[in-house]
Amino acid sequence: QVQLVESGGGLVQPGGSLRLSCAASGSFFTLYVMGWYRQAPGKQREFVAVIDINGRTKYADSVKGRFTMSRENAKKTVYLQMDSLKPEDTAVYYCNADPSTVVRGPGEFWGQGTQVTVSS
């Protein structure tokens, strides 16, 4: 069983930055593909970024060049550095863990979410 706890959300002006963190509990963190997803009001949850067990990343086109995902295995933590934020980035951001060695879509473990609001 894996528990995920996100932090770092908040209110930021357009063009600003935030860094989200996701701390995981349980064993075998290094063997999990980790991802970030987001859900805006009235919309479906969508993919944002993913990092595999080797540290390779993929991003949604809408955030490519602005967001950077990383992982720190010793702390069982993944991060999402968000720069040049836009109002359309406003959403609840969820951390996801998939016990897989390859990227295949969201896994079964989700965090509780953290709100990101981009507004002037």
Side-chain angles (χ1 to χ4, degrees), residues 1-2 4 24-35 50-56 71-78 96-109:
Q1 191 72 13
V2 175
L4 305 171
S25 65
S27 302
F28 309 115
F29 173 80
T30 56
L31 300 181
Y32 281 65
V33 172
M34 301 296 295
V50 67
I51 189 166
D52 70 10
I53 62 172
N54 295 308
R56 292 175 295 212
R71 68 189 298 159
E72 191 171 358
N73 289 336
K75 294 186 176 181
K76 297 183 181 179
T77 301
V78 293
N96 178 267
D98 183 21
S100 170
T101 58
V102 297
V103 175
R104 58 181 183 179
E108 60 189 286
F109 302 109

Side-chain angles (χ1 to χ4, degrees), residues 11-83:
L11 173 64
V12 63
Q13 292 186 342
S17 298
L18 281 175
R19 188 176 82 153
L20 305 183
S21 300
C22 171
S25 65
S27 302
F28 309 115
F29 173 80
T30 56
L31 300 181
Y32 281 65
V33 172
M34 301 296 295
W36 286 98
Y37 294 76
R38 67 186 182 186
Q39 187 167 19
K43 295 187 176 181
Q44 291 187 333
R45 192 171 298 188
E46 65 176 6
F47 165 76
V48 176
V50 67
I51 189 166
D52 70 10
I53 62 172
N54 295 308
R56 292 175 295 212
T57 54
K58 293 182 180 179
Y59 300 93
D61 288 343
S62 59
V63 307
K64 202 172 294 183
R66 300 187 298 121
F67 290 11
T68 303
M69 186 174 184
S70 60
R71 68 189 298 159
E72 191 171 358
N73 289 336
K75 294 186 176 181
K76 297 183 181 179
T77 301
V78 293
Y79 305 96
L80 185 67
Q81 176 66 41
M82 305 186 295
D83 298 318

